[in-house]
Amino acid sequence: MDDAPLPPGQGGPARRPTVGSLARRAGVAASTVSRALRGDPRISAEVRARIAALAAETGYTPNALARTLVSGRSGLIGLVLGPMENPVYAEMMQEAVTQAAARGSRLLLLHAGHGPIEDATAEALTQYRVDGCLITSAELSSRAAAICAANGVPVVMVNRVPRQFESAVACDNHAAGEALAGLLAAAGHRRLAVVTGNADTSTSTRRAEGFARGIAAAGLAAPACFNGGASHAAGYAAGQAIAALPAPQRPDAVFGVSDVLAMGVMDALREAGLSVPGDISVVGADGIALAAGPPYRLTTVAQPLQAMIGRGLDLLMARIGGAALPQEVVLLRGTLIRRHSARLPA
Amino acid sequence: MDDAPLPPGQGGPARRPTVGSLARRAGVAASTVSRALRGDPRISAEVRARIAALAAETGYTPNALARTLVSGRSGLIGLVLGPMENPVYAEMMQEAVTQAAARGSRLLLLHAGHGPIEDATAEALTQYRVDGCLITSAELSSRAAAICAANGVPVVMVNRVPRQFESAVACDNHAAGEALAGLLAAAGHRRLAVVTGNADTSTSTRRAEGFARGIAAAGLAAPACFNGGASHAAGYAAGQAIAALPAPQRPDAVFGVSDVLAMGVMDALREAGLSVPGDISVVGADGIALAAGPPYRLTTVAQPLQAMIGRGLDLLMARIGGAALPQEVVLLRGTLIRRHSARLPA
DNA sequence: GAACACTGTGCTATCGATTGCGCAGAAAAT
DNA sequence: ATTTTCTGCGCAATCGATAGCACAGTGTTC
C-alpha cells in the first residue's frame, strides 16, 4: 500500500489533462487555454486552433466539478422517482434522461421508491449543489421539496400538483377522469366504480374526483369506491372485491385511476369468470406500454409523458436561470386511447 | 440585469455557508473548521463543539464538488440502464439507488434505454469525474465501457458478462436455463422451445444455451428457437407463431428467456385459445414482480437482484479504492420459483 | 530555571477552471 | 516620428475544502 508515487503519465491511471497541462504544452497561460476552448474571440484564430488540436489529441475534457466551483452551476438536476411498481415512473425516467442530456444537464438520482427521502439522500441534494430538482412522484415528497426551498433550489413536480408553493406539470387528471366517466355513461353504463390509488397523491384523487364529477353530470349515482394502491396487486385485490359482489350490485364499469391498477382489476375480474368488456368495462389512466397490448388492450387516457417532462425541464431551467418567476402550474391534456377493455359509444 | 450586489444574506437566495464563513463567525481559521467538522482529534473538544453547533445552526453542508477537487474522488457512480420495456431494469435501478446511498455514493444517471450512449452522455462520464461506472444493461454498452477504460474509471457490468476485460456480476444464466430444461423434461415435456431475446446480450444467449444443454442432457431433441426481443410485444409475436403451428409440431413447453418475454408468449397462447399450463407450459427467467401474480403466475428463475447490485458495488468500490485488482466475474445462482405457468414434477 | 516535548491552531498552497484587470506589441492616426 | 487605439495574451484572484508545515502556548523533565 506504500507504493512510491508513480512518475506522472506512467504506470498509474494516466493523469487527465487539465487547462494547466495543456497550457504548459502549448506554451501559453492557463487562462488562454480556457478562453480558447470556450471560443473567446479575443484569442487569435491561430492559437485557438493550436490549443483545440492539443485538446483533441490529449483527449482533454473540462472538469465539470471545478467549473461548478466558480460558475455556481453544477449542471446537475436532482431526480426523485416514485415506486417502480408503477411502470409509469420508469418511462418518465427514461424520458427525463434523454431530455436532460439534450439540454446539457445530467440527472443525479436521489431517490426511487416509496416513502420519504432518507437524510443521507437529502444531504446529497445540497452537497452536490444540484441546480434544480425534478420530483416525478405522485407520493408526498415534501421532504425533498422543503430542503430545496430552504436552499433556494428550484423545484418542479411532474405528475403531482402540490397544494401550494411549488411549480408543477401534470396531466389534467380531473378532465381525464371526467371524460372517461362521460364516455362510460354515454355507452350506457349505470353502476360505475372507481379504484383509487394512494390517497396522498394528487394524481389519484384528482382523477377520482373528475370521474365522480363526470358521473354526476351524467345524472348517475356516485361511483362505488374501492381502495386500491400503487400496484397491480392492489388493483387485483380491488377487482376480487368487485367480482365478489352479487351481480345486481356489481358495477358495470370500473375506472382504475392508474393503468397498473386497472390491469390488476381486469385480471381479478377475468379470473373470477367475468368478461371484460363483456360483463364489465374497465378503463385506466396513464398510458403505459404494458397495458396497450394483449391481454389488456386497456382503454385509457394517456399522459403526454414526453411533453410533461419537456415542460417540466422548461420550468426548471427558467428558474435556474435565476429569474424570479412566480410558481407555475402547467396542466397538459391527456389523450383518450380507445382500446378494447371497455364498451364505449362509437 | 445590473442589480447592485445584494447585501450578503439578504434578498437573494441565501448564500450557503462555507467553511470560510463559519470560520469567520467562529473566529478561527477555515482549516480549523474543516478539521473540526471531520472530527480531527487535534482540535480541542471545546472548539469542535462550538463549530459543530454553528454548523448545525446555519445548516452548513460541505460542498461535495469542492471536496472532489482536492480529494480526487467525486462520490459519484455512473449508471447505465437498459431499455425500460423490461421492468427488470427499473427494479435494478431502485436497488442501485438504495444501496449506493447506503454506501455514501450517488448515482449519476448516464443513460437509460436502447442503443449506444450518445457522445454528450459519454462526456459527462469524464466531466463529472465519476469514480466508477455500473452498467446494468444486457445490451452492448461497449462505448461507455471503452470510455471508462480509457480514463481509468473502474467498470462493473451487472446482468451482462462481457467477452473480456470488464468485471461483471451476473446471474448464472446458463445454470438457470439448464435447470428449467431439466425440470420441464422431467415433467414429461417432449417438444421444448425457447424464445430468445436480443442476440447481443449475454443474458439471453447464456440462458438459451443452458436450456439447450439441459434438453440435450435429457436426451431430447434440440429446442425449437423463436426470435423474441426485449419486450412483451416481441414475446407476444413469438407466442402467436407458436400458437399457429399445427398441434403435432407445437411445442409443449416454452422458455421465454426473460419474464416479460414469457408473459408475452403466455398472452398470445391464451388468446389463441390454448391453455397455459394445460396445453403448453411456459417458464421465464428474471423474477420480476409483475409476472408473479395473476394472470401469469410465472414459473421462473429469479435473479438475486439485491445481491447482484450489492456485489456489483462491492467490486466497484474495491477498484475505486485504487487497488489494482484483476478483473473479476461473479456468478450468482438464481432461485427457482415454482408457480403455475408450467407443469413441473413435484 | 532552562531546554524539551506536546498540543491546538493558523498560514498557505493545492485541486481545475474562470474572469477582471493590466500590459505588451502592432497597427493606425496625427 | 510620436501618440493613440486596438488586439492578444498573461497575471493573479476566486470558488470551497483540504493538508502539510510552522508556530505559539502550556506542561514536563533534568
Side-chain angles (χ1 to χ4, degrees):
Chain A
M1 292 296 116
D2 254 333
D3 296 341
L6 294 160
Q10 299 222 7
R15 221 171 154 63
R16 290 203 182 98
T18 69
V19 277
S21 69
L22 286 189
R24 243 169 289 129
R25 292 187 47 171
V28 297
S31 51
T32 300
V33 173
S34 172
R35 282 191 264 256
L37 292 174
R38 296 178 66 83
D40 190 310
R42 294 184 307 172
I43 303 299
S44 68
E46 184 234 343
V47 173
R48 208 185 313 174
R50 186 154 48 95
I51 293 178
L54 206 56
E57 178 198 332
T58 58
Y60 168 81
T61 49
N63 184 329
L65 274 23
R67 178 181 291 165
T68 297
L69 213 49
V70 44
S71 75
R73 297 259 293 264
S74 64
L76 252 28
I77 292 181
L79 183 64
V80 176
L81 294 170
M84 291 296 128
E85 295 162 16
N86 190 342
V88 79
Y89 292 117
E91 296 186 3
M92 282 198 180
M93 186 206 65
Q94 187 161 332
E95 195 60 49
V97 186
T98 308
Q99 293 197 31
R103 293 164 194 241
S105 287
R106 310 293 151 195
L107 294 178
L108 189 65
L109 203 42
L110 292 175
H111 183 83
H114 282 289
I117 296 196
E118 312 94 61
D119 284 5
T121 306
E123 275 182 16
L125 206 152
T126 62
Q127 290 185 338
Y128 284 91
R129 299 292 189 264
V130 298
D131 292 336
C133 200
L134 207 61
I135 303 188
T136 75
S137 168
E139 284 190 40
L140 285 159
S141 299
S142 353
R143 185 72 193 293
I147 293 171
C148 285
N151 288 281
V153 175
V155 180
V156 171
M157 306 264 182
V158 174
N159 202 32
R160 172 186 170 222
V161 178
R163 279 175 293 278
Q164 48 185 351
F165 298 132
E166 283 89 19
S167 290
V169 178
C171 190
D172 187 342
N173 290 311
H174 193 275
E178 199 169 352
L180 287 169
L183 282 165
L184 290 171
H189 298 92
R190 286 299 168 259
R191 295 183 307 284
L192 308 199
V194 59
V195 178
T196 62
N198 187 325
D200 295 338
T201 69
S202 69
T203 303
S204 166
T205 56
R206 294 292 291 158
R207 286 175 185 172
E209 285 166 17
F211 191 68
R213 155 78 73 109
I215 290 173
L220 298 177
C225 185
F226 296 83
N227 289 322
S231 64
H232 179 281
Y236 186 79
Q240 285 183 314
I242 291 172
L245 256 31
Q249 292 171 33
R250 192 158 49 218
D252 53 7
V254 180
F255 172 38
V257 296
S258 69
D259 281 356
V260 263
L261 221 44
M263 288 161 68
V265 171
M266 280 180 76
D267 286 329
L269 295 178
R270 286 177 171 169
E271 196 136 294
L274 295 168
S275 158
V276 176
D279 298 318
I280 305 191
S281 288
V282 175
V283 297
D286 269 349
I288 64 175
L290 268 178
Y296 303 104
R297 299 193 170 86
L298 186 66
T299 292
T300 191
V301 175
Q303 303 196 94
L305 231 52
Q306 191 170 347
M308 283 168 66
I309 297 290
R311 295 292 289 124
L313 287 174
D314 284 347
L315 295 187
L316 208 49
M317 298 296 189
R319 266 144 263 260
I320 289 173
L325 301 171
Q327 301 301 344
E328 186 171 350
V329 174
V330 175
L331 247 43
L332 297 174
R333 249 72 214 226
T335 65
L336 178 74
I337 303 188
R338 292 157 174 267
R339 287 193 282 245
H340 303 286
S341 67
R343 229 173 355 102
L344 289 192
Chain B
M1 292 298 111
D2 254 331
D3 295 342
L6 293 160
Q10 298 225 7
R15 224 174 152 62
R16 290 204 182 98
T18 69
V19 277
S21 68
L22 286 188
R24 243 169 289 130
R25 293 188 47 171
V28 299
S31 51
T32 300
V33 172
S34 172
R35 283 190 265 254
L37 293 175
R38 297 176 63 85
D40 191 311
R42 294 184 307 173
I43 303 297
S44 67
E46 185 234 342
V47 171
R48 209 186 312 172
R50 187 155 48 95
I51 292 178
L54 206 54
E57 177 198 333
T58 58
Y60 168 81
T61 48
N63 184 329
L65 275 23
R67 178 182 292 165
T68 297
L69 213 48
V70 43
S71 75
R73 296 260 293 267
S74 65
L76 253 27
I77 293 182
L79 183 65
V80 176
L81 293 171
M84 291 297 129
E85 296 163 14
N86 191 343
V88 78
Y89 292 117
E91 295 186 4
M92 282 197 180
M93 186 205 65
Q94 187 162 333
E95 195 61 49
V97 186
T98 309
Q99 293 198 30
R103 293 164 193 241
S105 288
R106 309 294 152 192
L107 294 178
L108 189 65
L109 204 41
L110 292 176
H111 183 83
H114 282 290
I117 296 197
E118 313 94 60
D119 285 4
T121 306
E123 276 180 16
L125 207 151
T126 63
Q127 291 185 338
Y128 284 91
R129 299 293 191 265
V130 298
D131 292 336
C133 202
L134 206 62
I135 303 188
T136 75
S137 167
E139 286 191 39
L140 287 159
S141 299
S142 354
R143 186 71 192 293
I147 293 172
C148 285
N151 288 280
V153 175
V155 180
V156 171
M157 305 265 184
V158 174
N159 202 32
R160 172 185 170 222
V161 178
R163 279 175 291 279
Q164 47 187 349
F165 298 133
E166 282 88 19
S167 291
V169 178
C171 188
D172 188 341
N173 289 311
H174 193 275
E178 198 169 353
L180 287 170
L183 282 167
L184 289 171
H189 298 91
R190 286 298 168 259
R191 295 183 308 284
L192 306 201
V194 59
V195 177
T196 61
N198 187 324
D200 296 336
T201 70
S202 69
T203 303
S204 166
T205 55
R206 294 294 290 159
R207 286 177 186 171
E209 285 165 17
F211 191 68
R213 155 77 73 107
I215 290 173
L220 297 178
C225 184
F226 295 83
N227 289 322
S231 63
H232 178 281
Y236 187 78
Q240 285 183 314
I242 292 172
L245 256 32
Q249 292 171 35
R250 192 158 49 217
D252 54 7
V254 181
F255 171 38
V257 296
S258 69
D259 282 355
V260 264
L261 221 44
M263 287 162 67
V265 171
M266 280 180 75
D267 286 330
L269 294 178
R270 287 178 171 169
E271 195 135 293
L274 294 167
S275 159
V276 177
D279 298 317
I280 305 190
S281 288
V282 175
V283 297
D286 270 348
I288 63 175
L290 269 178
Y296 303 105
R297 297 192 171 86
L298 187 66
T299 291
T300 191
V301 175
Q303 303 197 95
L305 231 49
Q306 190 170 349
M308 283 168 66
I309 297 291
R311 295 292 290 124
L313 288 174
D314 284 347
L315 295 186
L316 208 48
M317 297 297 189
R319 266 143 263 259
I320 289 172
L325 301 171
Q327 301 301 345
E328 185 171 349
V329 174
V330 175
L331 248 41
L332 297 174
R333 251 70 215 225
T335 65
L336 178 73
I337 302 188
R338 292 159 175 265
R339 287 193 282 244
H340 304 285
S341 67
R343 230 172 355 102
L344 290 191

